[in-house]
Amino acid sequence: MIVTEKIKITSKELFQIYITSYFKRRWWMVLWIWVTIAILLFRESNATFDYFIIAALIAIQLVIAYQFWGNAKSTDIQEKFYEIDPDKTVIIAQNGTTTSIENSLFISVLKVRSYYLLYTTKVEFIVLPISSFKNLEDRTWFENNVIAKIKK
């Protein structure tokens, strides 16, 4: 079993994690939207409807970013640490609440910059900063005993 250092993620960091995770999972949709916008902008004959579609496609991107920003700002982010063993991960928050998750419930893992995102559903994940491990041996143990067992 390993115990991580105490961590506290800022709302700005959480927003960046949300956006990066979204782009990694949905890059094809974002690319499709911007290719469509480019095609509509560079056509020889542009109708008013083309500009309406362009505005709608840009608005969709802005609404998604705004939703992520709102979620990051409204989330009660507390200082916490993790106790991780081969069977379960226990999250212990600053206020004393604990959450225990069986490691078999993690459906995927995504490494985003300096974080591991441990997904419990297609959209819900636990953020585990790489810097929260006390030493390289703890991180290696985590990668070999937890991440290696998660279906990819």
Side-chain angles (χ1 to χ4, degrees):
M1 178 175 89
I2 60 172
V3 178
T4 66
E5 299 284 346
K6 290 184 177 180
I7 57 135
K8 181 167 181 158
I9 297 173
T10 65
S11 56
K12 181 181 177 183
E13 290 172 315
L14 189 57
F15 173 70
Q16 291 173 341
I17 290 168
Y18 285 155
I19 290 291
T20 306
S21 172
Y22 176 77
F23 284 137
K24 280 195 168 194
R25 288 184 294 119
R26 310 265 181 174
W27 64 268
W28 52 270
M29 186 175 73
V30 174
L31 179 66
W32 178 84
I33 287 173
W34 287 102
V35 166
T36 303
I37 289 170
I39 289 170
L40 290 173
L41 279 175
F42 296 115
R43 288 188 346 173
E44 286 187 27
S45 60
N46 286 337
T48 306
F49 185 71
D50 291 346
Y51 294 116
F52 173 75
I53 294 296
I54 291 168
L57 291 173
I58 292 172
I60 288 169
Q61 298 296 305
L62 293 175
V63 166
I64 290 170
Y66 181 75
Q67 285 178 327
F68 287 147
W69 180 250
N71 286 343
K73 290 300 255 185
S74 67
T75 302
D76 181 27
I77 303 171
Q78 295 186 16
E79 187 175 71
K80 58 187 156 203
F81 66 94
Y82 299 85
E83 290 179 355
I84 306 168
D85 66 34
D87 299 323
K88 69 178 184 269
T89 299
V90 180
I91 304 165
I92 303 168
Q94 180 181 12
N95 64 5
T97 60
T98 61
T99 304
S100 180
I101 300 171
E102 296 292 325
N103 291 343
S104 61
L105 296 177
F106 295 131
I107 61 171
S108 68
V109 64
L110 182 63
K111 187 175 178 184
V112 176
R113 295 193 302 162
S114 57
Y115 302 95
Y116 290 113
L117 306 182
L118 304 170
Y119 283 86
T120 55
T121 68
K122 285 187 175 186
V123 293
E124 294 179 1
F125 54 84
I126 295 169
V127 178
L128 182 60
I130 293 172
S131 62
S132 68
F133 293 104
K134 292 182 178 178
N135 53 47
L136 183 59
E137 291 81 25
D138 284 355
R139 180 178 169 194
T140 304
W141 182 91
F142 174 74
E143 290 173 347
N144 293 334
N145 291 292
V146 179
I147 291 183
K149 295 178 183 175
I150 297 173
K151 300 174 192 166
K152 293 186 181 189

